[in-house]
Amino acid sequence: VIQKCIEQMPPDSVTFIIKAVEAEAQKMASHMYGCRIVQRLLEHCASHQLQNMLNQILGSIDKLATDPYGNYVVQHMLEHGRVDDKRIIINVVERNIVEFSRHKCSSNVVEKALEVATVGEHAAQLEVERGNLMNKVIGEPGEPNPPLCQMMDDRFGNFIVQRMIEHARGAERDRLRLQLQASVEKLQSSSHGKHILNALKKESMA
C-alpha cells in the first residue's frame, strides 16, 4: 500500500512517508519490505526532498552493499541518483573492490557501478571515477597480486572480470587483455576462468 501511495500520489503529498523513513533510513534500506519503499522514493521524489535519507544511505554504502536487501537500494541509487551520489558510491566500490567483487550481494553493486559509469546517464561525468575503478582492478605494472588476479577465480568475482572485458576501452583494454593473457594457464584450469576466456574470445581480445 505504501509503495502504491508513493507511485500514485504527488511527490509533495508523501512527506509523511519520507519523514518515517528518515528516522531509520539505514535500517529501512536493509529491510525486506523497507528497501522497496526506499527504492520507490528514489524513483518518484526529487533529491531535495530526500536529502536526509540520501545522506544516511551514502554514509552506510559499505554495509548496505553487502546486505541482501540493502544492495538493491545502492544499485537503485546508481541508477536513479544524482551524479555526486554516484561518485561517492563508485569511490566506495573502488576502495573495497576485492571484498565487494567476491561477495554475493555487493558483486551486483560492482557490476552496476561499472555499467553506470560506462554507459549510464551520467557516464560522461563519471569518466575519472570509472578510470580509477578500472585501474584499481587491473593493478599497477609489476604489481604481484592485483585485484584482477584475486577476482578471476572467484565464483562471483569472475562475473565482474567478464563485465570489465565488456566495458573496457582504449589503453585500459590493452592492459586488461595483457594481464589476462599472462594468466591463461590458470584460467584454463578453472571452471570460472573458462568463462573469462570465453568472454575474451567474444570481445576478440583473446
Side-chain angles (χ1 to χ4, degrees):
V1 173
I2 296 172
Q3 290 187 70
K4 279 294 176 192
C5 286
I6 298 166
E7 290 170 6
Q8 302 296 333
M9 293 169 67
D12 290 343
S13 302
V14 296
T15 306
F16 69 102
I17 298 173
I18 296 171
K19 293 294 180 193
V21 171
E22 280 177 352
E24 294 185 281
Q26 185 189 331
K27 187 176 177 182
M28 287 289 282
S30 55
H31 185 273
M32 183 188 297
Y33 302 117
C35 73
R36 297 177 190 175
I37 293 167
V38 173
Q39 289 174 66
R40 297 298 83 75
L41 289 172
L42 289 168
E43 290 170 5
H44 296 282
C45 297
S47 297
H48 67 84
Q49 290 178 276
L50 305 175
Q51 191 63 60
N52 290 338
M53 183 189 88
L54 292 172
N55 289 342
Q56 288 183 61
I57 292 172
L58 288 168
S60 309
I61 296 299
D62 53 343
K63 296 185 186 74
L64 292 173
T66 56
D67 184 84
Y69 304 110
N71 83 89
Y72 292 109
V73 170
V74 179
Q75 289 183 67
H76 232 64
M77 286 186 72
L78 283 166
E79 193 77 49
H80 298 278
R82 300 166 297 186
V83 65
D84 287 341
D85 300 340
K86 296 177 184 185
R87 283 196 180 103
I88 290 169
I89 296 170
I90 294 169
N91 287 335
V92 174
V93 168
E94 183 196 338
R95 287 198 302 272
N96 298 277
I97 189 63
V98 174
E99 178 196 345
F100 279 11
S101 296
R102 296 169 70 173
H103 188 281
K104 180 180 179 180
C105 299
S106 53
S107 61
N108 295 315
V109 173
V110 179
E111 281 199 54
K112 179 61 75 174
L114 282 168
E115 176 194 323
V116 164
T118 306
V119 295
E121 175 192 1
H122 295 123
Q125 294 159 272
L126 296 168
E127 274 290 330
V128 172
E129 289 73 21
R130 182 193 166 284
N132 290 343
L133 181 58
M134 295 291 275
N135 288 331
K136 179 68 178 280
V137 176
I138 297 167
E140 296 297 325
E143 191 174 335
N145 190 28
L148 181 69
C149 293
Q150 300 173 55
M151 291 157 55
M152 61 191 185
D153 195 30
D154 181 80
R155 61 179 176 153
F156 303 118
N158 84 91
F159 287 106
I160 307 302
V161 177
Q162 291 178 61
R163 292 294 82 74
M164 287 185 64
I165 292 167
E166 181 184 333
H167 293 306
R169 57 197 185 204
E172 73 192 16
R173 183 180 171 88
D174 295 333
R175 287 175 56 217
L176 178 62
R177 176 175 50 80
L178 289 171
Q179 279 273 30
L180 292 171
Q181 285 176 341
S183 304
V184 164
E185 285 186 23
K186 182 180 177 183
L187 292 169
Q188 285 173 335
S189 63
S190 147
S191 59
H192 302 310
K194 286 171 184 171
H195 295 307
I196 293 171
L197 291 174
N198 287 335
L200 278 172
K201 286 176 186 169
K202 184 181 173 186
E203 294 292 327
S204 304
M205 287 171 68

